[in-house]
Amino acid sequence: MRKIGVLTSGGDSPGMNPCIRAVVRKAIYEGLEVMGIKRGFRGLMEGDVEELHAHSVSGIIHQGGTILKTARAESFKTKEGQGRAVKTIKKLGIEGLIVIGGDGSLRGAYTLDRDWDIPVIGVPASIDNDIAGTDFSIGFLTAVNTALEAIDRIRDTATSHNRLFIIEVMGRSSGFIALWAGLAGGAEDILIPERKTDLDEVCRKLEEGRLRGKSSSILVVAEGDEAGGAFEIAKRIEKKIGYETRVVVLGHLQRGGSPVALDRILATKLGTSAVELLIKGERRKMVGLISNQIKASPIEYAWKEKKKVDLSFYDLSQVMAI
Ligand code: F6P
């Protein structure tokens, strides 16, 4: 193998930059050329590509976002779009592709390999942490810390005013960020899609807490929870128990910021492993961290297996909230 390509795709996540850096530096160290593809599969279809050198990735290890930019490219789902992407790959002589992104992006990578015979290796990067085949996806731990900082600040004002705050976090249809940030932030309750929400029970516990003298309460709600979104939940709780409530939706601020040390290290390990796999002639695999070991699994495992949240986090949060 002489030349590889690298792209970031889907929602960005803190740690994509250190991962690009790892891919580029490892590849150059091993004597390969590296092409950086801009704006994910969209850039691949449009031929928006530039060669990356060791110095191209200087000074990015601490930066959120992705220097390669990213996109959600609907047209790549069509045969015509994929054909255009393959044309770029062939024209540039790219012999293997590393795709850094979430499950949708890994599906795109899989299609390029299976249907168009382009060797690909996937690297899981998403704040949602919903990708099977790795304990952590790049960006998740940073997003949890960002949400946690917000929760800590909100706790101050909640306590001053004796209020209930409902804090909505991201995660699409999974509750990883909510469970981790909620447990770490001492939330009174955590509402996630993986566990049925009984609002009467939530209200009962909040009331009990107030009677025991709690000076504030925080509910962390995952955006995918079926109870109807933070504003709807706030309305229903205020109506039922008259607890003065405010809502904070953290939104995209969870996607930005400097990656924490663990995300940088994870990105460095996964990025370099992806290059090693391509050199060894492996393909259609995803690299991941499982029980502190770097492991490669078939890329389709990432979305075919449903990654389960650890509900003991929820149970523990309830013990802590007495
Ligand atoms: O998958 C990452 C994520 O941030 C989800 O948590 C969220 O639901 C979604 O992306 C938001 O997507 P967009 O940035 O396209 O609005």
Side-chain angles (χ1 to χ4, degrees), residues 11 72 126-128 170-172 223 252 255:
R72 299 193 193 277
S126 164
I127 64 164
D128 301 339
M170 275 187 166
R172 205 181 288 275
E223 64 176 345
H252 286 78
R255 289 246 296 265

Side-chain angles (χ1 to χ4, degrees), residues 172-188:
R172 205 181 288 275
S173 51
S174 76
F176 283 96
I177 298 177
L179 275 183
W180 280 63
L183 181 59
E188 273 59 34

